Amino acid sequence: MKFHTQLKANDIFKFSLAYTYSGLQLILAIAMVAVGVYMCVTGMGAADGQSNMIFGIVLIVLFVVVNPLMLYVKAKKQAIENPVYKMKTYYTLNEDGIFVELGEDSATIEWARVLKISHVMGLNILYTGRKQAFVFPDYELGEDKDKMLSYMKEHMKAARRTPKASAGQDISKYSKVPVKEENKEQDEKTEK
């Protein structure tokens, strides 16, 4: 299966927004907005609560308007200046992994390196590390989107089930022991 993507500023913005407002950052943003709302409500009831209301409004605007706006400006700048976003990236799904071609560069992402796939705001995000991800917008995957995503998920699961051997070693620590040494160990145990 083959497909290609060319991320636009809006796609980069959605990914940045999803990344920024996930985990602890999301909890912090919700808490700050809640504090802002609380300060606005308590400021309305108090005679001298105008400063509370102003601070509450500033908190709400900061987390609901300013931060997303800054992310959008950054995404727009990346889409214009970063040469990676000016070219199409071609992907080929196969048994070994995902073969990626960008301009004259190419590489294979092995299925064992893929940590998870998530779907957020019309984007399929394939994580290969804490700060490494490939983004596939729904509109780029087309009609075969479900077929491709299930193919990726199946191969990810299969790669996790396959036992991994460390560099140059087999799965069993005894598989590399020469037969003479193994027999010698058995003889020593028998003598005792």
Side-chain angles (χ1 to χ4, degrees):
M1 287 183 262
K2 293 183 178 186
F3 63 98
H4 69 274
T5 63
Q6 186 170 5
L7 297 180
K8 301 173 185 166
N10 196 35
D11 300 323
I12 300 166
F13 168 66
K14 288 179 185 179
F15 174 71
S16 297
L17 199 62
Y19 183 77
T20 300
Y21 289 112
S22 64
L24 291 174
Q25 293 95 337
L26 177 63
I27 295 168
L28 176 66
I30 290 171
M32 290 294 117
V33 169
V35 167
V37 169
Y38 175 76
M39 293 186 83
C40 287
V41 170
T42 58
M44 281 193 268
D48 58 345
Q50 189 174 9
S51 61
N52 279 356
M53 286 182 60
I54 292 171
F55 187 68
I57 290 170
V58 167
L59 272 177
I60 293 169
V61 169
L62 182 66
F63 283 93
V64 176
V65 178
V66 174
N67 199 25
L69 186 61
M70 287 173 46
L71 289 174
Y72 183 76
V73 169
K74 184 178 175 184
K76 190 84 166 165
K77 185 178 177 182
Q78 283 180 326
I80 292 169
E81 294 178 0
N82 193 332
V84 170
Y85 297 122
K86 293 179 181 182
M87 296 184 285
K88 288 184 179 181
T89 305
Y90 295 88
Y91 301 91
T92 305
L93 305 178
N94 58 45
E95 296 298 316
D96 297 330
I98 303 171
F99 183 68
V100 183
E101 296 173 276
L102 178 64
E104 293 182 16
D105 297 327
S106 64
T108 298
I109 305 164
E110 297 169 350
W111 294 115
R113 289 192 49 216
V114 179
L115 303 176
K116 73 176 183 174
I117 297 176
S118 62
H119 187 268
V120 179
M121 294 186 277
L123 301 174
N124 301 287
I125 305 169
L126 185 132
Y127 290 95
T128 58
R130 282 190 67 192
K131 294 185 179 186
Q132 297 172 330
F134 290 86
V135 179
F136 311 131
D138 285 343
Y139 64 86
E140 293 280 12
L141 296 179
E143 295 175 5
D144 294 334
K145 177 185 88 161
D146 293 332
K147 184 179 173 184
M148 284 188 258
L149 291 174
S150 63
Y151 183 87
M152 287 184 217
K153 289 176 183 176
E154 286 173 22
H155 282 78
M156 283 171 49
K157 287 178 186 175
R160 285 193 190 117
R161 284 191 300 258
T162 305
K164 296 176 186 169
S166 54
Q169 295 181 357
D170 201 352
I171 295 168
S172 169
K173 67 179 184 179
Y174 300 108
S175 62
K176 295 286 182 182
V177 176
V179 177
K180 289 180 183 179
E181 286 183 35
E182 195 173 25
N183 291 338
K184 184 178 177 183
E185 288 176 16
Q186 289 294 334
D187 291 341
E188 289 174 2
K189 286 180 184 177
T190 310
E191 289 176 6
K192 292 179 183 178

